[in-house]
């Protein structure tokens, strides 16, 4: 939703906080210092959340229109998981559960603050890769720092192999949460004939 066109709210300012790294230090008896287990899970630094605050200005609005606006904003955004796209970075979005805080200091203008203390740590984009498979073939998915689970649409039943594991896919949408793409090119082999469409989220810090 474009806040200006939908709600007549002009962007005043925004603050995208740094993602919070998960640091794991374990105290081991007899060992000097603590054991750094930060990379133990998957060989890289993992992140928990990041804070986001966005402020909007509302001009020339009556008290009745202000109450209606607040009612709509609370219904749409307060506590709801929201994708936030900034006009300064339109190819990416942030995701989190925001709270709505209205501030009205005079009868004709007001300010609205959207805030999320624990937004998803990566800025994201949605990716769709489509390809026609004849008998067998490969589909390449490009991974980033973060890669979400795959949804694979097949126009007919197929088998899909990634790494050393093969999955049997039915016609239609298939959720494959077991597959974790790596950063860079990932080749996925399909056996069958038809259209394949792979959808997933990927992100960078």
């Amino acid at each position: 939703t474009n806040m200006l066109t939908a709600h007549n709210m002009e962007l005043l300012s925004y603050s995208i906080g740094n993602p919070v790294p998960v640091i794991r230090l374990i105290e081991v008896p007899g060992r000097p210092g603590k054991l750094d287990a930060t990379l133990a899970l998957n060989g890289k630094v993992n992140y928990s959340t990041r804070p986001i605050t966005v402020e909007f200005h509302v001009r020339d609005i009556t008290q009745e229109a202000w109450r209606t606006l607040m009612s709509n904003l609370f219904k749409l955004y307060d506590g709801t998981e929201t994708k936030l796209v900034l006009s300064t970075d339109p190819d990416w979005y942030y995701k989190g559960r925001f709270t709505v805080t209205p501030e009205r200091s005079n009868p004709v203008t007001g300010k609205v603050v959207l805030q999320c203390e624990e937004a998803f740590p990566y800025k994201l984009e949605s990716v769709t890769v489509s390809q026609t498979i004849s008998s067998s073939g490969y589909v390449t998915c490009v991974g980033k720092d973060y890669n979400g689970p795959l949804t694979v649409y097949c126009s007919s039943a197929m088998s899909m192999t990634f790494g050393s594991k093969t999955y049997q896919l039915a016609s239609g949408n298939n959720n494959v949460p077991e597959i974790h793409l790596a950063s860079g090119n990932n080749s996925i082999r399909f056996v069958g004939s038809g259209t394949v469409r792979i959808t997933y989220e990927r992100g960078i810090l």
Side-chain angles (χ1 to χ4, degrees), residues 148-176:
L150 305 186
T151 297
V152 183
Y153 167 83
C154 299
S155 61
S156 60
M158 295 187 188
S159 68
M160 177 181 72
T161 300
F162 182 73
S164 60
K165 191 166 182 179
T166 297
Y167 305 84
Q168 300 301 321
L169 305 181
S171 175
N173 284 326
N174 300 265
N175 294 318
V176 194

Side-chain angles (χ1 to χ4, degrees), residues 102-118:
E103 298 178 13
R104 187 165 170 85
S105 57
N106 62 69
V108 293
T109 65
K111 186 170 76 170
V112 178
V113 179
L114 296 183
Q115 190 170 29
C116 180
E117 290 294 338
E118 297 189 351

Side-chain angles (χ1 to χ4, degrees), residues 99-146:
T99 58
V100 178
T101 303
E103 298 178 13
R104 187 165 170 85
S105 57
N106 62 69
V108 293
T109 65
K111 186 170 76 170
V112 178
V113 179
L114 296 183
Q115 190 170 29
C116 180
E117 290 294 338
E118 297 189 351
F120 195 71
Y122 295 89
K123 67 177 184 177
L124 301 163
E125 62 178 348
S126 294
V127 181
T128 299
V129 181
S130 297
Q131 192 166 315
T132 299
I133 303 296
S134 179
S135 181
S136 67
Y138 288 86
V139 176
T140 298
C141 294
V142 180
K144 298 287 189 182
D145 298 335
Y146 163 81

Side-chain angles (χ1 to χ4, degrees), residues 16-79:
I16 308 297
N18 295 327
V20 178
V22 179
I23 306 298
R24 296 185 63 209
L25 300 176
I26 302 173
E27 193 164 338
V28 180
R31 184 185 190 279
K34 294 183 178 181
L35 177 66
D36 189 345
T38 302
L39 308 182
L41 183 62
N42 53 13
K44 63 180 183 179
V45 177
N46 294 285
Y47 296 86
S48 57
T49 58
R50 76 193 308 160
I52 296 177
T53 301
V54 188
E55 296 185 352
F56 296 93
H57 187 95
V58 186
R59 301 177 187 273
D60 302 323
I61 186 168
T62 65
Q63 187 65 35
E64 182 179 356
W66 175 259
R67 287 195 295 266
T68 299
L69 173 62
M70 289 306 103
S71 179
N72 290 335
L73 293 179
F74 282 125
K75 179 181 178 181
L76 291 171
Y77 305 112
D78 200 48

